[in-house]
Amino acid sequence: MRGWAKLVLVVLSLIVLYWPGIQHHWETTKDPYFVPYDAAQYIPAFFKFDRNDPIPTTYVKEYFLNAVCPPLYKWMTSIGAQLGDVRQFQLAMMYLVYAAFVGVLGRLGWVLGGAALSFAVVALTITAWIFIGMGFIGGAPRMYAYPLISLVLYSLIRDRPNLLAVTVVLGGLLYPVAALIGGLCLACWMLLRPWSGQGLVSHWGLSRRLATVTLSGFLTIAALVPILVGSEPYGRRVVDADISIYPEAGPQGNYRVYDQLPYKLFGIELFTYFLGPMYSHGDPIVPWFNVHDKLDPVTLLFVLALTGLIVLVVILRGMKSVVKEDRGGGIRLISFFVVCAVLHVMAWLTAPYLYIPTRYFMFSLPFLIILIFPWSLYLLLGRVPRLQSSPRLRDFAFLGIICVYLMAFGGRGNVEFSASFVEKTSRPLFDAIATLPRDAVIAGWPLGQLRKLEYVTRRNAFLTGDLHQVLHLTFMKTMRERMDALFEAYFSTDAGPLYRLRGEFRVTHLLVETHDFTDPTRPPEYYAPWRARIQPRLAEIKGKEYLMNASLHQKAAIFNQNGFILLDLAKLP
């Protein structure tokens, strides 16, 4: 069969297999109440660039633009905001980058093992939730990490040093963690004998190798300068010693356990990111055989651990074969994972200045299952005597094993993003807020409906749990001051704290979620140090809650429906 015919067959097979996911994502992105995870933090900052309907910027938005967004990400998104709705632009970019990521891996699989291996690599990638769920959905700069790492792997395996150098510079412009990984790989390739003694680089002189490292390093550092300079007004980085005073930066704080100070040297994230690709998203490909549907949690954990062990054995055997047959590419590939482990340790030792240590496992270990495992399996099957003489029979045996894996672990991609949609009961509220003046600033409980408000309504929020970042000390102090003021206003017994919100912080509206005061099964929640104060304050003000005052509602409420009350602070009695 000709190459183009095989390519068509692979593409059609993947479309049939994952059509429900493709269709579901298409419908999801057209829903105006869809808020894709991190987009709630990043995308509203670009509303100020809208030519037709610019929204006033805020201190929090400028923080994200100056201290968090890499320069090329910021530039592209700001251009997209000027051309149209930045939300649609970012969704389009998200899926475009995801397609490029899948394409790079598919191409790599094709050159390593033909159509069969390409199909396996792409299928395992698409079926894994970890990539779309933790990498792409959200529109954050992190969506560029996996594509950049796939280019790093492609460069190392296919002996493309110039491509790696370009990828490193792109990493500095789009996602610095990828730049650090690729940069150290490039430096090792150019300067260490086991790397530079093989392949194209072995024909380069020392001056050329040094020039490659120097130039790519200079351009990458130059790309990072805007973030370094832009973050200065927001204070130094938060360190372990700050946790005693600011517990919101520590284990009881805002971030996931892997991302919280103090960082652990090695933790459960090793297994999480290695086994992560086995967790699929969407409907099972074969429901009656899918382990996630059929097994209880304890048995499932055992099956995942056993499968992971088998996968690891296959990888070790396969990589031994790669090193023996293609010494240069094999050494570079294995060294990639060593580099990521070294960077993890360095990031832990210098925390928090080389970013969150677990990121180096997050963007390396998943490739073991979706790329290295099928490649190793394909190579090992080629060494079976009965399959050596018949490539077609080997492909059938290989695809049979991959199909069994997909039957057991695979999903069709049509995952429900229920947590990312504005609840139906909240939609009238959001519609009402969208009609407020463009300079409106809405306060409310930060972990309530306010989290999605900015993205959907294009109106500014005073503080949300997502915006409450704990990376830079001055910014964190400002967020604490805001949360303290909001806490006093939300649990007040008089109008004084509300007047402070209006006068000192320029808040124009306050959103009240009545179940916070009336339903003991749904009390408001937040991070330390406010978590411990919530229940005592509710008990203290019981029966005297100012925000539940009927007279206040009559005079200041401009929306009162489905348990949501929106107060206009200009109408306070």
Side-chain angles (χ1 to χ4, degrees), residues 206-414:
L206 178 61
S207 60
R208 182 175 180 180
R209 287 185 273 128
L210 286 173
T212 300
V213 174
T214 302
L215 180 60
S216 59
F218 174 79
L219 293 175
T220 303
I221 292 173
L224 296 174
V225 167
I227 292 183
L228 297 176
V229 174
S231 63
E232 285 185 2
Y234 305 100
R236 63 167 174 80
R237 291 296 299 264
V238 176
V239 298
D240 292 0
D242 296 318
I243 297 175
S244 59
I245 302 175
Y246 299 97
E248 57 266 43
Q252 300 180 48
N254 191 353
Y255 298 152
R256 295 177 306 166
V257 62
Y258 305 149
D259 299 341
Q260 293 171 338
L261 288 170
Y263 302 129
K264 295 181 176 63
L265 179 55
F266 294 109
I268 196 174
E269 70 275 4
L270 277 169
F271 304 99
T272 300
Y273 293 130
F274 172 59
L275 298 177
M278 293 186 188
Y279 287 90
S280 60
H281 56 129
D283 296 331
I285 294 174
V286 182
W288 60 269
F289 195 71
N290 187 275
V291 297
H292 299 293
D293 272 13
K294 295 300 179 181
L295 301 181
D296 62 84
V298 175
T299 307
L300 174 61
L301 186 60
F302 173 77
V303 170
L304 289 173
L306 181 61
T307 305
L309 182 60
I310 295 171
V311 165
L312 189 58
V313 171
V314 171
I315 289 173
L316 293 175
R317 294 289 302 275
M319 289 302 97
K320 181 180 179 180
S321 174
V322 169
V323 171
K324 186 179 298 185
E325 297 174 9
D326 179 16
R327 188 168 181 269
I331 289 177
R332 291 191 296 269
L333 176 60
I334 293 173
S335 299
F336 163 80
F337 294 99
V338 174
V339 161
C340 291
V342 169
L343 284 171
H344 171 88
V345 175
M346 291 174 60
W348 177 76
L349 290 172
T350 61
Y353 300 105
L354 286 181
Y355 300 94
I356 299 172
T358 57
R359 291 289 186 265
Y360 300 100
F361 288 144
M362 179 180 179
F363 299 123
S364 60
L365 293 182
F367 288 95
L368 288 172
I369 284 183
I370 60 105
L371 175 63
I372 311 303
F373 164 64
W375 182 23
S376 300
L377 177 63
Y378 190 79
L379 292 173
L380 293 177
L381 288 176
R383 296 169 60 184
V384 176
R386 292 189 60 183
L387 302 180
Q388 283 180 331
S389 59
S390 177
R392 182 172 297 180
L393 185 58
R394 178 184 66 177
D395 286 351
F396 276 118
F398 172 74
L399 290 175
I401 296 173
I402 294 299
C403 286
V404 171
Y405 177 93
L406 290 173
M407 290 169 61
F409 299 99
R412 307 195 71 177
N414 53 333

Side-chain angles (χ1 to χ4, degrees), residues 538-558:
L538 282 172
E540 179 185 344
I541 68 170
K542 189 172 180 59
K544 300 178 291 184
E545 304 93 336
Y546 184 70
L547 294 186
M548 297 301 292
N549 187 289
S551 176
L552 173 66
H553 300 167
Q554 185 177 5
K555 294 179 180 179
I558 60 172

Side-chain angles (χ1 to χ4, degrees), residues 2 30 84 129-130 152 160 166 175 178 203 210 249 252 272 286 290 313 320 328 335 402 413 428 434 438 450 506 543:
R2 295 179 181 272
K30 294 191 294 184
W129 177 87
I130 192 171
V152 170
R160 302 289 191 270
V166 172
Y175 193 70
H203 303 292
L210 286 173
Q252 300 180 48
T272 300
V286 182
N290 187 275
V313 171
K320 181 180 179 180
S335 299
I402 294 299
R438 287 182 297 177
L450 211 66
R506 299 294 186 265

